[in-house]
Amino acid sequence: MKEKLVNDTTEAFQAFFHSDPENIFLAPGRINIIGEHVDYSDGFVLPAAIDKYICFAVKKVEDSETCTFFAKDFDDSFSFNINQKQNPVSQIWVNYLLGVFNAVQESGKKTGGLQIAFSSTIPMGSGLSSSAALECGFAFILNQIFDLNLSRKDLALIGQKSEHTFVGVQCGIMDQFASVFGKEHQVIMLDCHSLEHQYFEANLEGYSLVLFDSCVKHTHLTSGYNNRRKDVDQGKRILWETFPEIEKFRDFSFSMLDAVRSEIGETSYKRCRYLLKEIKRVEKAAKALSEGDVEYLGKLLTETHSGLSTEFEVSCGELDFLVEKTVKENGVLGARIMGGGFGGCSINLIKDENVNEVIEKISAAYKAGFGIEMKVYRVKISDGIKEYKRNEFVI
Ligand code: GLA
């Protein structure tokens, strides 16, 4: 599958630019085991990069001031002058890239002319972070081709900045971090306050993490994502005014939150309460994962779904249906909506021997309930963004 993506992207480059690319890069999507919406609230998250990628075929053009992209999947292209100041444009996919370029330009780093064709196996609008892969993939390419000396952390932050400034989504850092820092077979425990992180062996022998794509597409530009952030920010503002000695959001206690309940209002209260509970769940989940306590991990996933659905209110009828039905099946330890919400995928922890049967039953129930063919992704935990070298794969 990876080989096919690389070949297709290379061919797209050749057809569009009438020459061969010099470098190939792969930027992965991500799953998140647990820790949803807490990345912009000093929480912990447990994401991992997966074997679904955006592939970039790249050629440096000496003495050129132009950077040209060909987006194979949209059959669309865009060029800009690297010496001019960039502003957002009407093609949404372009803004992810221009935002990255702008952030690099603002940091005073010098780049040059490029030709890039890209194509993806990360389904868009499914909660698997194709946007972070696009942003961070381009940041990685600029860094590598022009020796910009940016750290991996810088690349993740540049990706996030692009989303804030050129795309208009006030996202946290989880997706970009996972795409850049992913490691095969390892889950990342990221402290979103300090950006310190540890890797965990994903100790799930005998169990699988399977994604069910509801095929309800979303973009956080128009979903309620930014509004959820506003709800939370209002709560945080009053919490910090009342308890200025607290440094990190996760250190507020439930009784502190209760003390400001009437002042922050019911909506912000509900959102902040979910966040404090979710941050604690992630710590428990990391422990359960490292001890191989898969039963408990599953229970925590399902609790997260309930919080996301009723307190944070980012689920939808289709995802609630999928999760409710899935957790009732034999061999299912837990299930929840994954990512920013408002559509996309559920992540399901299922005993290996039951996976096929669960998929069959849930697909049929979903079809009957909503008339939609559910898609299923059995993903592997993979490395973060890297240059693809053909001979690495030759035995
Ligand atoms: C989206 C955002 C992330 C994070 C998740 C929810 O994927 O890009 O920063 O907030 O939603 O956990």
Side-chain angles (χ1 to χ4, degrees), residues 159-174:
Q160 183 193 31
K161 190 169 178 192
S162 166
E163 196 123 5
H164 287 188
T165 53
F166 271 57
V167 181
V169 177
Q170 299 305 309
C171 65
I173 190 68
M174 170 172 76

Side-chain angles (χ1 to χ4, degrees), residues 6-38:
V6 169
N7 289 339
D8 289 354
T9 314
T10 304
E11 280 168 23
F13 184 100
Q14 289 160 336
F16 191 82
F17 294 109
H18 307 291
S19 66
D20 289 328
E22 284 165 357
N23 311 78
I24 303 284
F25 297 87
L26 289 170
R30 63 105 188 88
I31 53 169
N32 182 26
I33 294 183
I34 196 163
E36 227 57 275
H37 282 272
V38 296

Side-chain angles (χ1 to χ4, degrees), residues 68-135:
T68 303
F69 291 101
F70 173 58
K72 173 181 180 285
D73 305 338
F74 308 130
D75 194 18
D76 196 9
S77 63
F78 187 82
S79 290
F80 67 93
N81 183 314
I82 55 161
N83 293 322
Q84 281 168 8
K85 170 110 189 77
Q86 302 308 318
N87 291 301
V89 296
S90 61
Q91 287 145 288
I92 296 197
W93 67 267
V94 174
N95 289 331
Y96 294 96
L97 301 160
L98 284 184
V100 165
F101 190 80
N102 187 60
V104 169
Q105 210 177 28
E106 278 180 351
S107 73
K109 304 273 184 189
K110 288 274 164 283
T111 59
L114 279 179
Q115 293 176 330
I116 301 182
F118 67 92
S119 176
S120 176
T121 51
I122 311 171
M124 276 176 32
S126 295
L128 302 183
S129 295
S130 54
S131 3
L134 186 58
E135 296 144 12

Side-chain angles (χ1 to χ4, degrees), residues 2 28 48-53 178 181-186 379-384:
K2 185 148 75 178
I50 55 172
D51 59 342
K52 290 193 176 289
Y53 305 94
F181 282 87
K183 262 195 195 165
E184 200 174 4
H185 308 307
Q186 310 268 321
V379 290
K380 285 207 192 79
I381 295 184
S382 304
D383 280 334

